[in-house]
Amino acid sequence: MPGIDENRPFIAVGIAILTVSDSRTPDTDTSGDCLVDRLVRAGHRLADRAIIADDIAAIQSHLKAWIVSSDVDVVIATGGTGVTGRDVTPEAFEALYDKAIPGFGELFRALSYPIIGTSTIQSRATGGVAGGTYLFALPGSTGACKDGWDKILRDQLDNRFRPCNFVELMPRLNEG
């Protein structure tokens, strides 16, 4: 049965939070606040936080800086994953992946279906690895961020989670 193995020590990872939005500010970024609150309560380090406009070049510039930073192990983005013309987060992320993690988006949508029904088809949540850094993009709603963290990322970013987790793979992400 999957779960936390209390015999293993917890390992905190550095997580950067990226909000992709043309309209949110530090005072109105409830989704970013939600993710920061959850990662800190879980025992992880907030490595950095930013709000970037819906622009592929701007998003990628920020991601590239975080990918090479020794302080950032994981980037979690919120926003820009829909299907409108301004929603470009998946395109920005996926162009940088060394390896995609298709199961992340698939699982996110499967978990969202009982909550929002067929509206989940509009989510283009995505995950992958770039330069040894995990990149995850969630929709911009606070509910989606809660679900993405509580139902997927909380366990996968806890090295005590069994049978396996993303943290224990970190030392091997850049193997040739």
Side-chain angles (χ1 to χ4, degrees), residues 99 132 169-176:
K99 292 196 179 203
L169 300 176
M170 285 179 178
R172 299 177 30 221
L173 291 177
N174 285 322
E175 287 178 341

Side-chain angles (χ1 to χ4, degrees), residues 24 30-32 34-35 38 76-79 81 104 108-109 111-112 115-116 120 123-125 137-153:
R24 293 201 184 167
T30 56
S31 295
C34 169
L35 289 168
R38 279 169 158 68
I76 304 172
T78 173
T81 63
F104 177 75
F108 178 80
R109 286 180 287 280
L111 293 168
S112 296
I115 300 163
I116 63 170
T120 193
S123 166
R124 297 186 303 138
L138 294 166
S141 76
T142 302
C145 290
K146 287 177 183 176
D147 292 341
W149 178 268
D150 295 348
K151 297 177 180 180
I152 304 172
L153 293 172

Side-chain angles (χ1 to χ4, degrees), residues 84-130:
T84 72
R86 296 290 299 154
D87 292 323
V88 296
T89 302
E91 287 79 9
F93 273 56
E94 291 167 4
L96 298 180
Y97 290 165
D98 298 320
K99 292 196 179 203
I101 305 172
F104 177 75
E106 294 164 359
L107 180 57
F108 178 80
R109 286 180 287 280
L111 293 168
S112 296
Y113 181 76
I115 300 163
I116 63 170
T118 59
S119 296
T120 193
I121 201 166
Q122 295 180 29
S123 166
R124 297 186 303 138
T126 183
V129 179

Side-chain angles (χ1 to χ4, degrees), residues 16-26 28-33 35 49-63 66 75-82 84-93 124 126 135-142 145:
I17 300 298
L18 176 65
T19 299
V20 178
S21 174
D22 290 333
S23 60
R24 293 201 184 167
T25 67
T28 62
D29 184 17
T30 56
S31 295
D33 290 342
L35 289 168
R49 182 174 178 182
I51 299 174
I52 302 291
D54 295 275
D55 176 80
I56 290 176
I59 295 166
Q60 287 183 337
S61 176
H62 229 83
L63 289 175
W66 282 342
V75 175
I76 304 172
T78 173
T81 63
T84 72
R86 296 290 299 154
D87 292 323
V88 296
T89 302
E91 287 79 9
F93 273 56
R124 297 186 303 138
T126 183
L135 306 178
F136 300 103
L138 294 166
S141 76
T142 302
C145 290

